[in-house]
Amino acid sequence: MRTNNPVLSKFADTARSTFGLTSPGAMTVAGTAGKASLLLALVVFSAAMTWQQVAAGRTDLVMPAMLVGGLGGFVFAMITSFRPQWAPWTAPIYASLEGILLGAISALYNARFNGLPQQAVLLTFGVTLGVLTLYRFRVLQASAGFKRMMLGATMGIALFYLGSMVLSLFGVQIGYFTSSGWLAIGINVAIAGVAALNLVLDFDRIEEGARMGAPKAMEWFAAFGLMVTLIWLYLELLRLLSRLQGRRD
């Protein structure tokens, strides 16, 4: 169970140190898909509940929902990342918390641009299906060079967002987040593209994990990784559509 992929190495290490050789069952693609569907259902359910409350006039819930969902989701994402064997319990909690966050954010966007979140949802699933199709036909492949490129791009984007948050604490605002100019749109498209291409890494991780015979519980960890990418992609597409809509208004 040796691999150059650091995430899959964590699969192997967890299998040996935590589940051992007697772990019942092995990871499968179908099993991972089922658990990803369950996590997605939790995201949708908690998002719908939050949306309904905000749409009913409970605007006072927006900030608490974003705070609880955002910070709580981040904490459980970190726990799951460093303790993959806990994913059967932490991944559903993460999905529920992220749903609260997405419900509040989507309700705010919908109040300004009616129907925009629904468009973003459809576009997210469309992009995911397109990437999956290209991956299945091996048009897109997770080669070593591709993985390094995606890792570098993703880390760069993460540092950009983190730096922007830190600067905002000192009153310095980055124009990208409020601009509807073509430069901001171009950057948004590039970031959404990186998010979409990260799906290739998720699909490869699932296939490799199944091929390596990773323990059954690791299906939750792989499903969690896929959910993180889908949520990121949805938020980037939501922001992109709002910028395009803002230029038309």
Side-chain angles (χ1 to χ4, degrees):
M1 294 179 68
R2 292 293 180 184
T3 173
N4 292 326
N5 188 316
V7 174
L8 295 179
S9 293
K10 185 173 288 188
F11 273 11
D13 293 341
T14 301
R16 286 190 293 268
S17 63
T18 304
F19 295 92
L21 298 178
T22 60
S23 175
M27 177 181 175
T28 65
V29 174
T32 305
K35 290 172 175 60
S37 298
L38 178 58
L39 294 182
L40 183 60
L42 289 173
V43 171
V44 172
F45 177 76
S46 57
M49 295 295 292
T50 306
W51 176 302
Q52 289 178 356
Q53 291 296 316
V54 175
R58 295 295 307 275
T59 54
D60 58 305
L61 294 177
V62 172
M63 289 307 297
M66 294 178 67
L67 184 63
V68 171
L71 290 180
F74 177 77
V75 168
F76 276 91
M78 291 297 99
I79 293 174
T80 308
S81 298
F82 288 101
R83 289 291 183 270
Q85 63 270 31
W86 294 358
W89 301 275
T90 57
I93 298 174
Y94 164 80
S96 300
L97 290 170
E98 285 297 297
I100 294 174
L101 173 66
L102 295 183
I105 292 176
S106 299
L108 290 178
Y109 273 99
N110 192 66
R112 183 180 179 189
F113 303 113
N114 186 38
L116 193 70
Q118 292 88 334
Q119 296 176 31
V121 168
L122 292 175
L123 186 56
T124 299
F125 282 112
V127 170
T128 302
L129 181 59
V131 173
L132 177 59
T133 301
L134 293 174
Y135 176 77
R136 293 300 297 170
F137 285 99
R138 303 308 181 198
V139 176
L140 292 175
Q141 298 185 53
S143 63
F146 180 86
K147 291 174 183 177
R148 287 194 296 269
M149 181 180 69
M150 285 296 100
L151 178 62
T154 303
M155 289 183 63
I157 293 169
L159 289 174
F160 170 67
Y161 280 134
L162 180 61
S164 300
M165 291 175 58
V166 172
L167 289 175
S168 67
L169 296 177
F170 296 94
V172 179
Q173 300 298 324
I174 305 299
Y176 165 74
F177 295 99
T178 56
S179 173
S180 293
W182 287 114
L183 178 59
I185 290 174
I187 296 174
N188 201 163
V189 169
I191 294 176
V194 171
L197 290 176
N198 264 269
L199 289 169
V200 175
L201 302 184
D202 293 320
F203 299 148
D204 177 70
R205 184 180 306 139
I206 293 170
E207 282 195 343
E208 283 295 314
R211 187 157 47 243
M212 291 165 56
K216 189 73 173 174
M218 288 296 96
E219 291 176 350
W220 285 105
F221 184 59
F224 156 76
L226 179 60
M227 205 53 47
V228 170
T229 304
L230 287 175
I231 291 172
W232 177 25
L233 178 60
Y234 167 75
L235 289 173
E236 293 300 338
L237 292 175
L238 185 64
R239 181 181 289 119
L240 177 60
L241 290 175
S242 70
R243 284 193 167 109
L244 295 174
Q245 184 66 42
R247 290 192 64 85
R248 287 196 292 266
D249 291 346

